[in-house]
Amino acid sequence: MGSDNTTIKNLFGTIDPFVTWDVSFLWNLPRGVNIALSGMNLLDTRPPLVNIEQAYDGFTHDPKGRRLKLAAAYQLGR
């Protein structure tokens, strides 16, 4: 079985790891106001290259880089 894995690695290579730092904060303020701040891929890590058409695996990696999101919500009647 080990030789099968070696053959697969020789044919297709290996994909480097892809680790991102993501963080989210949620503030529940008085009178039904909520504010959320999220940061995805804060270190702006590029996805590893793979030997397919887009040069990255779109099913498991995101090529967009660093993204920040701010959201606010208000609940009426509170």
Side-chain angles (χ1 to χ4, degrees), residues 31-42:
R31 299 189 179 169
V33 175
N34 294 329
I35 298 176
L37 175 65
S38 298
M40 288 74 66
N41 194 1
L42 291 176

Side-chain angles (χ1 to χ4, degrees), residues 22-25 27 36-40 42 67-71:
D22 305 335
V23 67
S24 293
F25 296 98
W27 291 274
L37 175 65
S38 298
M40 288 74 66
L42 291 176
R67 296 175 319 281
L68 301 174
K69 179 174 85 170
L70 177 64

Side-chain angles (χ1 to χ4, degrees), residues 1-77:
M1 187 178 226
S3 64
D4 291 339
N5 288 338
T6 303
T7 302
I8 291 171
K9 285 182 182 180
N10 288 338
L11 286 173
F12 298 104
T14 57
I15 299 174
D16 294 333
F18 182 59
V19 177
T20 62
W21 289 91
D22 305 335
V23 67
S24 293
F25 296 98
L26 175 63
W27 291 274
N28 294 315
L29 302 174
R31 299 189 179 169
V33 175
N34 294 329
I35 298 176
L37 175 65
S38 298
M40 288 74 66
N41 194 1
L42 291 176
L43 300 178
D44 199 22
T45 306
R46 292 182 181 206
L49 296 176
V50 295
N51 190 17
I52 60 174
E53 188 174 329
Q54 294 92 3
Y56 70 94
D57 183 0
F59 292 109
T60 56
H61 304 133
D62 192 340
K64 294 178 196 154
R66 182 183 305 118
R67 296 175 319 281
L68 301 174
K69 179 174 85 170
L70 177 64
Y74 176 72
Q75 294 178 344
L76 295 173

